[in-house]
Amino acid sequence: QVNLVESGGASVQSGGSLRLSCAMSGYQYPKYCVGWFRQAPGEERVGVAGFSSDGRARYTNSVEGRFTISEDTATDTLYLQMNDLKPEDTARYYCAKRVVALYDHCQGYWWASVMPGDYFGQGTQVTVSS
C-alpha cells in the first residue's frame, strides 16, 4: 500500500506563493514516477508537473516558469513551490505516484493524464483570490 499525505495548501492573494509538501510512505516499489495533479471544481483531475526517469522535471504550460517540483529522497517528500499564483491556479492539489514495471520508465509527460492504478493522497486546497 502507498500512502501519500499532502499539506501546505492555503488561501492567498494573486501574486502570492505557496509550497506544497507530500509525505510518501508505505510499500517501496522498485520503480515509480512522482508528480503533482490538480482538480478544480467541476473539472477533471489534470497533471501539473512530474519527473521523468532521467530526472528531468516537466510542467504543464500554464505553470511553466512559476512552479517548481522537487524531491527530497532522504525523507521521501515531494514538493511543489508555487510562485506568482493566479486565480486560475485555484484547485485541490494532489501528489501522485505511478508504479511502472522494471523494464519500463517514466516518460517525459507520464502525468499528462490519470491512469488506472495511480496513487493519490487526499489533496490540499489552494485558493487564489484576485
Side-chain angles (χ1 to χ4, degrees), residues 55-104:
R56 182 178 170 183
R58 290 179 172 84
Y59 304 87
T60 192
N61 287 342
S62 62
V63 309
E64 183 80 53
R66 300 188 297 121
F67 290 13
T68 303
I69 186 173
S70 61
E71 183 180 13
D72 184 340
T73 55
T75 61
D76 281 338
T77 305
L78 189 68
Y79 298 99
L80 185 68
Q81 176 67 42
M82 306 187 296
N83 298 328
D84 189 23
L85 283 160
K86 306 175 185 299
E88 52 264 40
D89 295 318
T90 294
R92 193 163 188 86
Y93 284 72
Y94 298 87
C95 173
K97 178 177 278 192
R98 178 175 297 173
V99 178
V100 296
L102 291 178
Y103 60 81
D104 206 346

Side-chain angles (χ1 to χ4, degrees), residues 4 22 33-37 78 94-98 110 119-120:
L4 305 172
C22 173
C33 318
V34 292
W36 288 92
F37 287 67
L78 189 68
Y94 298 87
C95 173
K97 178 177 278 192
R98 178 175 297 173
W110 65 266
Y119 292 97
F120 295 97

